[in-house]
Amino acid sequence: MFAEGDFISHGTNGVCRVAGFTQMDVPGTGQKKEYYILKPVYDSNATVYSPVESGDTLKCRRILTEAEAKKLIGEIPVLKPIQARDRKELDEKCKQAISSGQCSEWVRVIKTLWEDKKARVEQGKKMTAASERFLKQAEEKLHGELAVSLGLGKQEMETYICGVLETVK
């Protein structure tokens, strides 16, 4: 269970701060269920109510600590890109990696699609729409979480990670 003030990674809403707890009626049961009141860090107007007892369905977890974030950044050069036989398999693997909720998987998606983009540009082609979408999702999730973990702005984090990725062969 998370405590008030904790920063968590919430499946579809990204990094959120636990603002408190509330009880809500479960329709048709006459029972109440406890919910987290979550405030997405990058959407100040939003409030999310997430069941405390939701299991793994929403992929909620504490965000990386500062030490874990720094370790992950240091591992970027050695994290292996995603391997796939064809575009359809690549799209499916990227989708699974993004929905895993794991920062290291988001890095793998980003590395894979950066390499793919570079190869396609050399052939005079553009990225596919699906690849662009997956790249944007992975970058948004990774940069957002690392920025909060390291106490940086999201744009600063994006610039820093881009610099790290540009040095990787």
Side-chain angles (χ1 to χ4, degrees):
M1 189 162 158
F2 305 114
E4 191 169 335
D6 284 351
F7 285 99
I8 66 168
S9 174
H10 179 267
T12 55
N13 293 287
V15 179
C16 297
R17 184 182 52 76
V18 178
F21 301 87
T22 191
Q23 297 257 327
M24 298 171 76
D25 291 326
V26 178
T29 67
Q31 297 177 335
K32 289 191 178 282
K33 193 173 189 178
E34 190 169 17
Y35 285 78
Y36 293 112
I37 302 169
L38 305 175
K39 299 300 275 180
V41 170
Y42 299 108
D43 186 356
S44 60
N45 295 322
T47 300
V48 177
Y49 297 91
S50 182
V52 169
E53 301 272 338
S54 66
D56 194 39
T57 58
L58 295 175
K59 302 228 183 325
C60 289
R61 62 170 174 75
R62 279 183 174 63
I63 65 168
L64 298 179
T65 64
E66 181 179 358
E68 290 167 337
K70 288 178 178 178
K71 182 176 186 250
L72 176 66
I73 292 168
E75 292 172 350
I76 288 174
V78 296
L79 284 172
K80 300 289 183 211
I82 295 169
Q83 300 297 311
R85 293 182 304 272
D86 55 34
R87 182 68 46 193
K88 184 177 179 182
E89 183 182 16
L90 177 62
D91 289 351
E92 185 56 36
K93 286 184 173 185
C94 286
K95 183 178 176 181
Q96 289 172 355
I98 290 167
S99 68
S100 75
Q102 299 302 310
C103 293
S104 60
E105 288 299 302
W106 300 337
V107 170
R108 292 182 69 226
V109 169
I110 294 166
K111 283 184 75 169
T112 301
L113 297 179
W114 272 50
E115 288 178 8
D116 183 56
K117 181 178 182 177
K118 183 178 175 184
R120 291 179 71 84
V121 166
E122 288 172 1
Q123 298 169 0
K125 298 178 181 178
K126 292 182 178 180
M127 284 182 84
T128 65
S131 291
E132 284 184 14
R133 187 177 66 250
F134 292 137
L135 180 59
K136 183 178 180 182
Q137 289 172 349
E139 287 177 333
E140 190 72 20
K141 288 177 178 291
L142 181 69
H143 300 155
E145 181 164 340
L146 292 179
V148 173
S149 294
L150 297 172
L152 299 171
K154 196 173 185 180
Q155 187 62 47
E156 281 179 276
M157 195 74 253
E158 180 178 352
T159 301
Y160 182 76
I161 295 299
C162 287
V164 171
L165 287 166
E166 288 171 355
T167 64
V168 176
K169 293 193 180 203

